[in-house]
């Protein structure tokens, strides 16, 4: 058990002092009264509160407790989300001209990191999960084929999938070791795995990855943008990662986010069997309610998640039905809706709705699969571009990404050859929320000339 919360305690001890420093709200004084209790902890690097970029006190102790909790040699609190963790682990391990293998279901921040690093990327198509049709990791045989193509500096995995499915990451890591490639894992949706190892899947830390990034705010009680980066076994070739964290993170880190990260670690470290029993009881109640509403429920490897669907109804339409009764799912796709349950403890409640759902039939579209292996060279930023109609863009090279959000997995990559399959997907995606695709609403896509 870990009893201390050093950052939380330091902020509590500082409460009551008057501010003659930034931030400008002056401990919440300039905000309406209902916000002041929270904002009096929104502080800066004054005496006694330590410094994220040169920790010697409370923040250092909090990060040491974090490393112990996750059985890691070095762990870092991140205030710019898993985005900055992904950027730092790639920029800190790869140099310009290196070649990196990436799973095609990676987050856009991984692709941005590869772009910034000036590396060549080999994208591997993911396996299709049989029940949902969603991306589900890399097959070890395909990985081996790609590793044999040329010298590979690192392999970047997404584990588990955004929908909560695992794959044989242990075999993939062993395969990477044969070829001397670093293993970098975006485990954004796995920060809670450490809470109960008998209930949740094994973490990439336990499976032997070199660097693992966690979005604490996704599944633990941490504020948005609160994340962790872990280096399970320290090696000199990973020594640039902390330097990149200093370069890429805000020089004015949020103490509210850091305090929430300290609390989230404490929450995981003190999760008990009775807490796990309470969670499983709550989960069973939700499962019963979903099935009573005649929904198909798919239970992935991560018990924190449910995937629900209804025959004849698109995932987007089903999402709207949930929202109409005041429950907002994590995301929807053409077929499915993803629900993420809270990691409650004993004494907490999170009850299913007391109302029933009503449905109308709605068509959905099946999205085609990408190529198995796609190599994209480091981008030439001086190359001219133009916008082209979707129809005329087929066969040309994309100069922008289009990213359904959530989950943030690009439909098309910068440097990727545009196919008819891409256009079919884009026509569906543009009806919903997405990022990039500056003129997609006008049926145009940016291409390289």
């Amino acid at each position: 058990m870990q009893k201390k919360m050093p950052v939380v305690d330091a902020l509590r001890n500082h409460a009551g002092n008057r501010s003659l420093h930034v931030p400008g709200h002056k401990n919440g004084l300039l905000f309406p009264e209902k916000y002041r209790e929270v904002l009096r902890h929104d502080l800066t690097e004054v005496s006694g509160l330590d410094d994220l970029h040169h920790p010697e006190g409370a923040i250092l102790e909090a990060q040491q407790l974090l490393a112990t909790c996750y059985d890691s040699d070095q762990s870092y609190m991140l205030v710019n989300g898993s985005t900055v963790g992904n950027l730092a682990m790639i920029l800190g391990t790869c140099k310009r001209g290196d070649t990196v293998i990436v799973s095609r279901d990676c987050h856009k921040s991984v692709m941005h990191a590869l772009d910034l690093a000036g590396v060549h990327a080999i994208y591997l198509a993911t396996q299709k999960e049989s029940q949902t049709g969603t991306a589900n990791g890399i097959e070890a045989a395909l990985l081996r084929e790609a590793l044999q193509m040329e010298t590979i500096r690192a392999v970047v995995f997404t584990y588990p999938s955004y929908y909560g499915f695992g794959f044989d990451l242990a075999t993939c890591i062993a395969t990477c070791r044969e070829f001397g490639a670093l293993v970098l894992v975006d485990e954004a949706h796995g920060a809670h795995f450490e809470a109960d190892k008998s209930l949740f899947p094994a973490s990439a830390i336990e499976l032997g990855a070199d660097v693992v990034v966690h979005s604490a705010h996704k599944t633990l009680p941490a504020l948005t943008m609160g994340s962790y980066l872990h280096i399970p076994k320290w090696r000199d070739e990973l020594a640039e990662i902390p330097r990149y964290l200093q370069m890429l993170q805000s020089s004015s880190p949020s103490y509210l986010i850091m305090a929430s990260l300290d609390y989230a670690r404490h929450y995981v470290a003190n999760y008990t069997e009775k807490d796990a029993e309470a969670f499983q009881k709550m989960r069973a109640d939700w499962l019963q309610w979903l099935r009573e509403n005649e929904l198909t429920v798919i239970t992935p490897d991560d018990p924190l998640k449910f995937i629900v669907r209804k025959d004849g109804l698109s995932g987007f339409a089903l999402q709207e039905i949930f929202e109409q009764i005041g429950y907002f799912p994590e995301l929807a796709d053409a077929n499915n809706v993803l629900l993420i349950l809270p990691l409650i403890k004993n004494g907490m409640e999170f009850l299913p709705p007391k109302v029933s759902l009503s449905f109308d039939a709605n068509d959905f579209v099946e999205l085609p699969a990408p190529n198995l292996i796609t190599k994209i060279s480091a981008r030439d930023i001086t190359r001219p571009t133009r916008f082209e109609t979707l129809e005329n863009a087929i066969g040309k090279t994309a100069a922008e990404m289009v990213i359904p959000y959530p989950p943030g997995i690009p439909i098309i990559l910068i440097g990727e050859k545009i196919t008819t399959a891409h256009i079919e997907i884009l026509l569906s995606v543009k009806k919903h929320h997405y990022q990039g695709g500056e003129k997609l609403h006008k049926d145009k896509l940016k291409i390289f000339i």
Side-chain angles (χ1 to χ4, degrees):
M1 291 288 191
Q2 294 184 344
K3 299 302 182 186
K4 297 187 69 176
M5 291 186 286
V7 177
V8 173
D9 292 340
L11 293 175
R12 185 184 295 123
N13 293 337
H14 188 84
N17 291 313
R18 299 293 183 179
S19 170
L20 290 174
H21 54 76
V22 299
H25 58 66
K26 301 300 178 184
N27 296 356
L29 178 66
L30 305 189
F31 264 80
E33 189 171 351
K34 64 181 179 179
Y35 294 104
R36 291 178 190 172
E37 178 61 28
V38 172
L39 290 179
R40 68 193 181 104
H41 298 296
D42 183 32
L43 296 164
T44 190
E45 294 90 346
V46 295
S47 298
L49 294 186
D50 208 1
D51 180 349
L52 179 65
H53 296 295
H54 187 72
E56 297 177 302
I59 295 173
L60 175 62
E61 185 179 1
Q63 293 193 148
Q64 289 170 340
L65 286 167
L66 177 64
T68 300
C69 177
Y70 283 91
D71 194 21
S72 175
D73 281 356
Q74 295 289 335
S75 292
Y76 303 87
M77 297 192 297
L78 310 180
V79 296
N80 291 83
S82 287
T83 289
V84 79
N86 288 338
L87 291 171
M89 76 175 177
I90 291 170
L91 290 168
T93 56
C94 302
K95 63 180 184 296
R96 191 165 298 276
D98 282 345
T99 300
V100 175
I101 292 175
V102 192
S103 62
R104 185 58 181 82
D105 63 338
C106 69
H107 189 265
K108 66 174 185 174
S109 58
V110 170
M111 298 175 183
H112 291 159
L114 299 174
D115 199 359
L116 288 170
V119 302
H120 308 297
I122 297 175
Y123 289 94
L124 301 189
T126 53
Q127 305 171 85
K128 183 174 284 192
E129 199 283 316
S130 59
Q131 300 174 87
T132 61
T134 58
N136 185 29
I138 297 172
E139 289 184 344
L142 183 64
L143 173 62
R144 179 177 294 277
E145 180 183 342
L147 284 164
Q148 291 171 336
M149 291 172 61
E150 56 187 280
T151 301
I152 303 298
R153 172 59 176 163
V155 180
V156 185
F157 295 96
T158 301
Y159 172 87
S161 75
Y162 290 97
Y163 290 83
F165 291 102
F167 60 98
D168 192 359
L169 181 61
T171 298
C172 287
I173 291 176
T175 304
C176 291
R177 296 288 176 238
E178 289 182 40
F179 291 85
L182 290 171
V183 177
L184 314 178
V185 181
D186 176 1
E187 194 172 83
H189 285 253
H192 60 290
F193 289 177
E194 191 64 31
D196 189 312
K197 292 187 177 182
S198 65
L199 179 61
F200 297 109
S203 168
I205 296 174
E206 186 178 346
L207 296 177
D210 293 300
V211 188
V212 178
V213 175
H214 282 152
S215 284
H217 68 94
K218 283 183 168 30
T219 57
L220 298 180
L223 291 179
T224 298
M225 295 174 67
S227 294
Y228 303 133
L229 183 145
H230 308 280
I231 300 177
K233 300 298 178 186
W234 181 263
R235 304 211 306 270
D236 287 344
E237 62 184 318
L238 307 175
E240 285 291 286
I241 293 174
R243 186 172 75 88
Y244 274 99
L245 285 177
Q246 297 223 7
M247 293 170 60
L248 296 168
Q249 293 207 91
S250 171
S251 60
S252 300
S254 166
Y255 273 80
L256 288 177
I257 293 176
M258 287 189 286
S260 75
L261 287 170
D262 195 21
Y263 175 74
R265 181 271 313 159
H266 183 271
Y267 193 91
V268 167
N270 294 281
Y271 206 76
T272 67
E273 287 186 18
K274 285 198 171 294
D275 295 332
E277 290 171 3
F279 168 78
Q280 291 183 84
K281 171 63 170 61
M282 177 269 296
R283 182 177 182 274
D285 290 342
W286 270 87
L287 185 59
Q288 179 181 345
W289 180 83
L290 292 167
R291 287 175 173 165
E292 286 175 352
N293 278 270
E294 299 181 345
L295 292 170
T296 299
V297 184
I298 298 165
T299 54
D301 299 305
D302 182 358
L304 208 65
K305 297 183 177 182
F306 286 135
I307 301 157
V308 296
R309 60 201 307 178
K310 180 74 173 176
D311 288 344
L313 202 69
S314 75
F316 301 112
L318 183 56
Q319 179 184 36
E320 290 178 5
I321 291 170
F322 271 95
E323 291 174 354
Q324 286 168 6
I325 64 168
Y327 285 77
F328 282 68
E330 167 66 10
L331 61 85
D333 60 30
N335 305 319
N336 311 293
V337 168
L338 174 63
L339 310 179
I340 302 181
L341 299 173
L343 185 69
I344 66 166
K345 286 192 172 185
N346 189 36
M348 300 178 180
E349 284 189 341
F350 188 76
L351 300 174
K354 295 181 179 180
V355 298
S356 297
L357 303 177
S358 58
F359 309 101
D360 292 317
N362 184 274
D363 293 330
F364 59 87
V365 61
E366 184 74 25
L367 302 182
N371 294 328
L372 288 179
I373 300 179
T374 303
K375 181 170 182 180
I376 296 179
S377 297
R379 183 161 66 100
D380 179 1
I381 61 174
T382 65
R383 191 175 172 186
T385 64
R386 72 165 185 264
F387 285 94
E388 187 61 87
T389 63
L390 294 181
E391 182 180 359
N392 292 335
I394 296 172
K396 298 180 173 64
T397 302
E400 64 178 344
M401 290 194 292
V402 181
I403 311 157
Y405 214 92
I409 302 170
I411 290 298
I412 194 163
L413 311 173
I414 295 174
E416 191 169 18
K417 188 175 181 180
I418 302 163
T419 66
T420 302
H422 285 126
I423 302 304
E424 291 178 27
I425 300 172
L426 291 173
L427 289 171
S428 174
V429 163
K430 76 169 198 167
K431 300 174 186 176
H432 309 286
H433 184 64
Y434 62 89
Q435 297 176 351
E438 184 180 343
K439 294 187 178 181
L440 183 59
H441 64 291
K442 295 183 178 179
D443 288 338
K444 292 184 176 181
L445 194 66
K446 186 185 288 186
I447 64 163
F448 288 113
I449 299 174

